[in-house]
Amino acid sequence: MRISSRLAAAAGGVVAAGTALAVGYLVAAVTGGPWPVDAVGVQVIDWAPGPVKDFAVRELGTADRPLLRVGICAVLAIVAAVAGVIGVTRPRTGRRQLVAVGIAAALGLVGLVFAIVSRSAATGVAERLLPAIVTLITAVAAMALVVRSPGGPKATQPDGFDRRRFMLTVSALAVVGTGAFATTRVASFGPGEAVRAKIRIPRPTEAARPLPSGVQVDVPGVSRFVTPNPKFYRVDTLLEVPRIDPADWELRIRGMVNKELRLSLPDLLDRRLIERDITLTCVSNEVGGPYVGNARWIGVPIADVLAEAGVRAGADAVKSTSIDGLTIGTPLSALTDGRDAIFAVAMNGEPLPFEHGFPVRMVVPGLYGYVSATKWIVDFEVTRFQDFSAYWTDRGWAVEAPIKTASRIDVPKGFATIKAGPAIAAGVAWAQHRGIAKVEVQVDDGPWRPAVLATEDTIDTWRQWRFRWTATPGTHKLTVRATDADGFVQTSRSTPPRPDGSSGLHNTVVMVD
């Protein structure tokens, strides 16, 4: 068989696999079930060693999801190409064709198995399995068409490869796949922005006070005091954001309680709502990293719900579960000690974005998100730490994780070039639920000098700062440290995020003309 025919056969195998994935993608969009590629991807994330996860979050951020999808699809394409060559290469026998179709079936079965075992936002059996089943059937049928099309009794080419017949078959499959993919991308399936926009958030019973004047330093380049929703960091383990229909959503309160509760979204919206400014931080945040943001949240106090359910003696934890099955363990004391822990329904004046947990998520001041900030929450079990382990603690992270005192230089950026003379540095500091009392800056190896603090909003929000210094020609290093309201001075000892948050001092190097 000539090289050109082998390449055509490989391309035919890839088109067969692509058609199956595109059709499965369409079915997943219609049913709300997991696309087989995403089912595999989520399991890969769950199986990945901790250092690999840490690297992905640190170096790739949210780009790790599309890259993982591309990687999975690339592997599938390679295997499908091999199957196409096997099925079309001379001598073309029924056995070789059966092997090619068998490879396609095996790939489809892998997707089906992962759809069964991996976490998914789909709760019904049909929703979970139908996209994978359709993908499997389409893969087998498409590969069978590809390997049966090259030759035949009327083939006139010297190598028996009927290119016209083959190209017609592959082109038809490509049209089907392209049409399925385009339909998925263009059409609107399941709950969308229109559904979210219809949710009317009542005026909170306790509104947040207006932001005090002076919470934002007047320095270009410093993070905005209130982080806009599109720029708020996102760290989770899902390749596809759950699109939950609020009409079908329910939160179950159970476990060591006197009365089990089942709350719909209207039930929550009819309760006492409070509005609070709260800064969230991800435990994966490196020193000086971007995974911190401040927003104005509206939600139901979790303590109110727990009081109604009645917590039994001996409970010390809550296991909350997302719609995809991810579990988070939170100290019960952090939900009942008076801090503004809430089931949040709104973020910065609008219903929660899908990416940030619509319709309901947890927000707990003072704790890293992996032990408190459950998005797309559906289950809330009062329990004891000794009776369960959560998703992240199973992977080497600490059981309890109060946020560490930290600070960051936003201006000047690293390796920026500035002019000699009066200069300014500025940034943010945070110690949620303790508050920031002081920020200091060190130039090179000089003494620590106090920065000017912006007005404090609350102890649950970050605090901005600015520092004036005289820049002399050469290269200089600026280092920042914060002191919280409990008197704890940010440590200079550098530690990685795992197991309970990074520590160390952020610095930046600048060049002065």
Side-chain angles (χ1 to χ4, degrees), residues 32 121 127 190-192 195-196 198-199 242-250 264-266 323 354 358-360 376 378:
E127 292 174 334
V195 173
R196 188 179 74 91
K198 289 180 180 179
I199 302 299
R243 297 264 171 167
I244 301 172
D245 188 338
D248 299 330
W249 177 87
E250 182 182 70
S264 66
L265 184 58
I323 195 170
F354 285 106
F358 180 84
V360 179
W376 314 293
V378 294

Side-chain angles (χ1 to χ4, degrees), residues 483-497:
T483 301
D484 65 31
D486 290 342
F488 177 81
V489 180
Q490 186 179 348
T491 180
S492 61
R493 188 172 71 91
S494 180
T495 61

Side-chain angles (χ1 to χ4, degrees), residues 284-289 407-408 490 494-495 497 502-507:
S284 299
N285 204 36
E286 298 280 352
V287 172
S407 54
R408 184 180 73 198
Q490 186 179 348
S494 180
T495 61
S502 64
S503 66
L505 303 181
H506 187 221
N507 62 69

Side-chain angles (χ1 to χ4, degrees), residues 421-461:
I424 193 165
V428 290
W430 57 89
Q432 290 94 311
H433 209 56
R434 298 185 302 279
I436 293 295
K438 181 169 63 175
V439 171
E440 299 169 288
V441 177
Q442 181 186 55
V443 180
D444 298 322
D445 295 321
W448 288 100
R449 295 165 54 196
V452 176
L453 289 174
T455 303
E456 182 181 70
D457 181 13
T458 76
I459 62 172
D460 291 335
T461 61

Side-chain angles (χ1 to χ4, degrees), residues 80-292:
V82 172
V85 172
I86 291 174
V88 175
T89 301
R90 296 186 71 188
R92 280 185 291 279
T93 64
R95 178 176 295 181
R96 296 178 70 90
Q97 293 176 345
L98 186 61
V99 169
V101 174
I103 292 174
L107 292 177
L109 283 172
V110 169
L112 179 59
V113 170
F114 278 97
I116 295 172
V117 302
S118 65
R119 292 180 293 112
S120 167
T123 54
V125 175
E127 292 174 334
R128 291 180 66 90
L129 301 186
L130 192 56
I133 291 173
V134 172
T135 301
L136 168 60
I137 294 172
T138 307
V140 170
M143 187 63 74
L145 287 172
V146 167
V147 299
R148 287 176 62 86
S149 64
K154 296 183 178 180
T156 57
Q157 286 77 1
D159 60 358
F161 190 81
D162 190 336
R163 288 172 179 78
R164 182 174 180 277
R165 179 178 174 183
F166 180 81
M167 291 305 298
L168 285 174
T169 300
V170 172
S171 297
L173 289 174
V175 169
V176 171
T178 302
F181 182 79
T183 300
T184 308
R185 303 300 293 178
V186 173
S188 178
F189 298 104
E193 289 300 328
V195 173
R196 188 179 74 91
K198 289 180 180 179
I199 302 299
R200 293 292 175 259
I201 305 298
R203 184 183 300 275
T205 309
E206 297 180 21
R209 65 172 184 169
L211 289 178
S213 61
V215 296
Q216 177 80 45
V217 297
D218 187 18
V219 179
V222 174
S223 303
R224 292 174 60 176
F225 182 78
V226 176
T227 309
N229 291 353
K231 294 188 176 181
F232 206 96
Y233 75 90
R234 176 194 164 201
V235 177
D236 54 61
T237 61
L238 294 179
L239 277 73
E240 186 73 18
V241 174
R243 297 264 171 167
I244 301 172
D245 188 338
D248 299 330
W249 177 87
E250 182 182 70
L251 175 61
R252 182 183 179 192
I253 313 296
R254 63 187 182 94
M256 297 177 66
V257 296
N258 297 326
K259 180 176 65 173
E260 182 174 311
L261 303 176
R262 291 180 178 270
L263 304 175
S264 66
L265 184 58
D267 291 335
L268 280 179
L269 296 179
D270 284 343
R271 289 172 172 264
R272 182 173 77 98
L273 297 174
I274 63 174
E275 183 180 51
R276 296 292 186 266
D277 298 328
I278 299 173
T279 297
L280 300 184
T281 308
C282 179
V283 72
S284 299
N285 204 36
E286 298 280 352
V287 172
Y291 299 134
V292 57

Side-chain angles (χ1 to χ4, degrees), residues 233 235 281-284 320 326-330 367-374 390-394 396-402 497-501:
Y233 75 90
V235 177
T281 308
C282 179
V283 72
S284 299
S320 53
L326 183 141
T327 57
I328 281 178
T330 308
L367 299 180
Y368 286 116
Y370 84 98
V371 296
S372 67
T374 311
Y391 179 91
W392 290 112
T393 52
D394 283 342
W397 294 87
V399 174
E400 299 188 38
R498 186 180 296 271
D500 61 354

Side-chain angles (χ1 to χ4, degrees), residues 17-29 31-42 65-66 68-70 72-73 76 111-112 114-115 118-122 127-132 135 181 184-185 239-240:
T19 300
L21 290 178
V23 172
Y25 189 44
L26 174 59
V27 175
T31 63
W35 186 35
V37 170
D38 288 349
V40 173
V42 169
R65 298 172 182 85
L68 180 56
R69 276 177 164 171
V70 169
I72 293 170
C73 289
L76 292 175
L112 179 59
F114 278 97
S118 65
R119 292 180 293 112
S120 167
E127 292 174 334
R128 291 180 66 90
L129 301 186
L130 192 56
T135 301
F181 182 79
T184 308
R185 303 300 293 178
L239 277 73
E240 186 73 18

